[in-house]
């Protein structure tokens, strides 16, 4: 069962300008240390940050809140499996909201996909509830 769907489109050049202007203040406010390590290790650093920005926006929409009601940017974090597949992890208020949305007897799974085509980065997030095994 689908609990929520969210999407976002971010401008990579806007994120690059924000990184230039605010640097670590922006990075540390929005991105976890793991997200920062991943982005800084990539050739397209602003594009990597833009995709993760879009994923956080999309996740907040899938949670049904947008970026309000106490959700923090770092409550949503994108990492990658060894295959490269992006995964979304939620903590803090985002995890509380996810638990509140999840029906009894179900487990929530967050699906995320990222793409970019300069100057755009896009993310889709689908939150699925799966019945627990008997």
């Amino acid at each position: 069962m689908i609990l929520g769907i969210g999407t976002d489109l971010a401008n990579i050049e806007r994120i690059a300008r924000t990184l230039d202007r605010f640097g670590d203040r922006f990075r540390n406010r929005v991105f976890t240390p793991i997200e920062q390590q991943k982005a800084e290790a990539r050739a397209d650093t602003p594009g990597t940050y833009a995709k993760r920005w879009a994923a956080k926006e999309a996740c907040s929409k899938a949670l049904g809140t947008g970026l309000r009601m106490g959700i923090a940017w770092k409550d949503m974090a994108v990492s990658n499996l060894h295959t490269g597949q992006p995964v979304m992890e939620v903590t803090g208020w985002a995890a509380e909201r996810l638990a509140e949305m999840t029906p009894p007897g179900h487990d929530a799974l967050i699906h995320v996909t990222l793409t970019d085509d300069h100057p755009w980065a896009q993310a889709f997030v689908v939150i699925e509830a799966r019945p627990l095994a008997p």
Side-chain angles (χ1 to χ4, degrees), residues 5-121:
I5 300 172
T7 186
D8 193 66
L9 186 65
N11 185 289
I12 296 168
E13 293 169 1
R14 178 177 159 249
I15 297 297
R17 287 190 304 271
T18 302
L19 288 164
D20 288 342
R21 183 171 178 196
F22 298 105
D24 285 343
R25 189 171 137 209
F26 173 65
R27 282 182 200 86
N28 294 331
R29 181 175 154 253
V30 177
F31 302 100
T32 66
I34 291 170
E35 290 173 312
Q36 291 181 45
Q37 282 179 328
K38 180 64 116 181
E40 296 299 327
R42 293 222 170 140
D44 183 15
T45 299
T48 301
Y49 279 121
K51 285 185 279 190
R52 279 150 177 74
W53 171 279
K56 291 168 186 270
E57 287 273 9
C59 184
S60 71
K61 292 170 186 174
L63 289 168
T65 64
L67 285 162
R68 57 181 174 84
M69 296 177 57
I71 199 166
W73 285 102
K74 291 197 286 188
D75 284 349
M76 302 164 288
V78 178
S79 60
N80 297 84
L81 300 177
H82 71 280
T83 60
Q85 177 184 344
V87 292
M88 177 69 69
E89 298 171 39
V90 293
T91 59
W93 192 90
E96 291 173 21
R97 172 68 181 147
L98 182 61
E100 180 183 292
M101 294 171 60
T102 306
H106 289 74
D107 192 24
L109 182 62
I110 302 174
H111 303 277
V112 60
T113 186
L114 310 172
T115 191
D116 65 292
D117 187 5
H118 197 86
W120 300 106

